[in-house]
Amino acid sequence: MALLQSLQVVFAMGLVMPVLPRGVAGGKFPAVIVFGDSTADTGNNNFIQTLFRGNYPPYGRDYAGGIATGRFSNGRLAADFVSEALGLAPAVPAYLEPGRSIHRLASGVSFASAGSGLDDVTAQILSAVSLRQQIQHFKEYKARLRHAKGDAAANHIITRSLYIFSVGASDFLGNYLLYPIRRRRFTLPEYEAFLVGAAEAAVRDVHGLGARRVRIVGLPPLGCLPLLRTVNRVRPGECSGGHNVVAVRFNRRLRALVWKLNLELPGAGFENSVRGCCGTGYVETGVLCSLDNALTCDRANKYVFFDVVHPSERAYEMVAKEILNGAPHLLK
């Protein structure tokens, strides 16, 4: 049986940890396939019953045509930049968007849903598509590929594509640290272990369906998100050291998971990193950005964050470069 060819943790806006430095087969990627939350949702939430959408201004104002596609940024996301860098489409389409043929989705697709998480309960809070359901959509996608292109072509796409998991922040922000829903059941270390277990199950599931080249985007420094700076009661406006420790510890657990799975599975400077661009930059995300549109900054590329949680297009481009730099041999 074929080994998992490449699995890495990519630390958002940080460093890439290569876990298979030798013996990884090269070659081009026929597609970019994405799972995750609002950092990877390219428009799926536009087509489900949820209030958590980014399909209105000021989101998308720097996207081609100034269209608010549902991406939670002023422009494109990391997955879009990765796709373009690999010689594929400059934007990864959303799986749930009506009218997208399987032939269009064969070179890239995002199953991600804003508000989702590794924990199914996280997705339930905002009526998002859970990671478990996203993988079911992937299974459906695989069947559609086989029907449209035949077994050989479908197998090539599934086994040679680049898979990106960008998920986890919503679990901590919306389900534990800010809102104590899961605190009733888990201590913080227990919840971290639970989420890592969910990440392992997700990677094993897609591996079982044929995935072999996987990148996991780690957590950013949570305590430095504009939202967390705003609610920092001890040192208002400054990073929350405790929340950053959570991110570092969780990423360390992810690193250990990556090493385990690789053994076991067969086969730039910004001017503003304190506030978000939209509205006042202290509390706005989602629909609140549209309500304070008049206050939105003029040059989003000067900001790390577009709203109080989600990065700007420029920051996403940097994450994409980290993903790509982790496997330069695959770009030849």
Side-chain angles (χ1 to χ4, degrees):
M1 299 176 67
L3 293 176
L4 182 72
Q5 292 182 354
S6 179
L7 178 62
Q8 298 177 336
V9 174
V10 179
F11 299 106
M13 290 173 284
L15 82 126
V16 176
M17 183 191 72
V19 297
L20 282 182
R22 298 184 299 274
V24 181
K28 294 183 178 180
F29 297 99
V32 173
I33 298 175
V34 189
F35 303 89
D37 54 25
S38 55
T39 60
D41 185 352
T42 59
N44 286 306
N45 273 26
N46 298 347
F47 309 104
I48 63 173
Q49 294 297 315
T50 179
L51 295 176
F52 198 32
R53 297 176 178 174
N55 59 342
Y56 41 76
Y59 293 114
R61 69 178 199 183
D62 296 316
Y63 193 84
I67 301 172
T69 61
R71 289 166 170 80
F72 279 81
S73 185
N74 58 302
R76 293 188 291 166
L77 306 183
D80 298 316
F81 287 107
V82 169
S83 178
E84 183 177 42
L86 294 175
L88 302 170
V92 177
Y95 183 69
L96 296 181
E97 182 177 350
R100 292 285 188 181
S101 70
I102 189 60
H103 298 286
R104 172 65 182 87
L105 299 176
S107 61
V109 61
S110 173
F111 300 101
S113 175
S116 191
L118 292 163
D119 186 349
D120 285 349
V121 172
T122 303
Q124 293 171 11
I125 295 171
L126 290 171
S127 300
V129 181
S130 69
L131 186 57
R132 191 188 308 270
Q133 184 58 48
Q134 291 177 38
I135 294 173
Q136 286 301 309
H137 286 165
F138 172 58
K139 186 175 182 179
E140 175 185 281
Y141 167 81
K142 180 179 176 181
R144 291 175 61 191
L145 275 179
R146 289 186 181 281
H147 178 75
K149 293 184 172 293
D151 288 349
N155 286 340
H156 175 78
I157 292 170
I158 294 299
T159 59
R160 302 293 293 176
S161 290
L162 175 64
Y163 293 79
I164 300 173
F165 281 85
S166 183
V167 63
S170 295
D171 295 301
F172 286 103
L173 294 177
N175 207 355
Y176 200 95
L177 298 176
L178 295 180
Y179 304 98
I181 297 171
R182 281 303 211 179
R183 287 190 216 171
R184 302 185 186 98
R185 178 176 176 183
F186 299 101
T187 65
L188 186 52
E190 287 173 344
Y191 193 52
E192 292 169 2
F194 172 78
L195 294 179
V196 170
E200 177 177 358
V203 172
R204 288 183 180 276
D205 283 345
V206 297
H207 175 269
L209 292 169
R212 292 296 181 271
R213 299 165 163 186
V214 181
R215 302 290 182 273
I216 302 175
V217 180
L219 295 181
L222 296 175
C224 292
L225 296 177
L227 177 60
L228 272 297
R229 289 175 182 265
T230 298
V231 299
N232 187 345
R233 297 179 180 178
V234 178
R235 304 179 71 178
E238 296 189 17
C239 294
S240 170
H243 291 103
N244 282 343
V245 168
V246 171
V248 170
R249 191 167 57 214
F250 182 72
N251 286 342
R252 188 179 300 125
R253 286 177 180 264
L254 281 182
R255 181 187 289 114
L257 171 64
V258 164
W259 279 99
K260 174 185 176 183
L261 291 176
N262 273 317
L263 290 172
E264 294 181 2
L265 288 181
F270 293 90
E271 291 183 3
N272 195 317
S273 62
V274 177
R275 294 189 296 112
C277 169
C278 86
T280 64
Y282 292 108
V283 297
E284 293 90 349
T285 187
V287 70
L288 293 179
C289 278
S290 67
L291 297 178
D292 286 340
N293 196 9
L295 299 176
T296 297
C297 75
D298 293 327
R299 301 181 65 187
N301 67 343
K302 298 295 183 181
Y303 286 69
V304 174
F305 298 96
F306 188 65
D307 62 21
V308 294
V309 175
H310 304 100
S312 65
E313 180 183 47
R314 186 181 178 206
Y316 275 125
E317 184 177 15
M318 293 177 64
V319 174
K321 289 178 180 178
E322 294 296 337
I323 293 172
L324 294 165
N325 288 341
H329 52 283
L330 294 174
L331 304 181
K332 298 177 181 178

